[in-house]
Amino acid sequence: MMRRRKQSGQSIVEFAIVLPFLVLLIIGMVETAFALRSYLYVNTACREGIRFAARGRYTDVDAARWMLASGGYTRLGQQQVPFFRTTEPEPNTGIIITRIPIQANGTIGQQIRYITGTITLIEGGNISTVPISQNYSRVSTEVNIERHRNETIAINQQRVAQGYEALDNQVVVVEVFYAHRTIWNYEPLGFPRVLNLYARSVMRVVSDARQTQ
């Protein structure tokens, strides 16, 4: 009888030791699942945006609206609100659509940008939401414009050699910035409450393709 009591007491102690790690594991799995869901939504919105932005009959405003609508709705307190929000309540999304004209001879024109929404900044543990601007675009550092220029020149050389007209191109870049908020507050542990997610899609469009679609 005493032996059974000792074994029971030992099991309780072992469970008490393991329980915090199990709780942390479950919390981590839940947080990771929600973060992955948000990342998938951001990537889906980016792909939808580039499809619309690359078509001649849609404006960048139309593309941005479609991207925002692609996330559907979610619960925020007692409200049902869009998953992607560029305005109140609690804006969490910024969109930058950049168009880079490339003439048939390879000359790169001036970039044209459509910008809407906000971006969340984390500085020294402080979280602030500010209107997004072109300063946050990563096009100049992460998109190889020179490669698209060289491809445009090479394709036009082939077209001219085959007796066709050389065509201007345009590189369209869609960037989505999303502030994913964690379910629980980990700031006392030194972790930020917001995880900034980013997605980018790039497409080179031939000028006559935009006109005929």
Side-chain angles (χ1 to χ4, degrees), residues 164-178:
Y164 296 102
E165 178 187 1
L167 297 173
D168 296 339
N169 281 206
Q170 184 181 85
V171 177
V172 183
V173 186
V174 173
E175 299 175 279
V176 180
F177 302 79
Y178 177 76

Side-chain angles (χ1 to χ4, degrees), residues 26-196:
I26 293 172
I27 291 175
M29 292 173 63
V30 172
E31 287 287 7
T32 301
F34 275 90
L36 286 175
R37 184 197 67 162
S38 296
Y39 185 69
L40 289 174
Y41 278 15
V42 170
N43 274 275
T44 299
C46 202
R47 289 196 301 269
E48 292 295 323
I50 198 69
R51 285 178 55 244
F52 272 74
R55 296 179 181 179
R57 63 175 180 264
Y58 295 110
T59 66
D60 291 341
V61 176
D62 295 329
R65 287 175 179 170
W66 184 261
M67 293 164 66
L68 295 173
S70 68
Y73 287 83
T74 187
R75 299 290 299 183
L76 182 63
Q78 301 298 321
Q79 292 180 290
Q80 189 175 22
V81 297
F83 184 84
F84 295 117
R85 302 181 297 277
T86 57
T87 57
E88 295 293 344
E90 294 188 15
N92 57 14
T93 306
I95 296 173
I96 300 179
I97 301 176
T98 305
R99 298 184 181 276
I100 307 170
I102 303 179
Q103 297 179 12
N105 60 4
T107 302
I108 298 177
Q110 185 177 4
Q111 297 182 9
I112 303 172
R113 284 194 172 98
Y114 171 79
I115 302 172
T116 184
T118 61
I119 189 169
T120 300
L121 305 178
I122 305 173
E123 298 178 354
N126 297 321
I127 300 176
S128 59
T129 301
V130 299
I132 196 168
S133 67
Q134 64 179 5
N135 296 329
Y136 298 103
S137 174
R138 305 181 188 179
V139 170
S140 60
T141 57
E142 299 187 16
V143 178
N144 190 347
I145 303 301
E146 188 65 24
R147 177 175 65 85
H148 292 286
R149 174 183 176 275
N150 294 336
E151 290 177 354
T152 298
I153 294 174
I155 291 173
N156 278 323
Q157 287 175 346
Q158 294 178 5
R159 289 181 59 86
V160 171
Q162 296 172 1
Y164 296 102
E165 178 187 1
L167 297 173
D168 296 339
N169 281 206
Q170 184 181 85
V171 177
V172 183
V173 186
V174 173
E175 299 175 279
V176 180
F177 302 79
Y178 177 76
H180 169 78
R181 290 187 176 272
T182 58
I183 301 174
W184 292 281
N185 185 8
Y186 306 102
E187 291 179 348
L189 301 177
F191 296 99
R193 184 71 190 273
V194 174
L195 176 64
N196 282 318

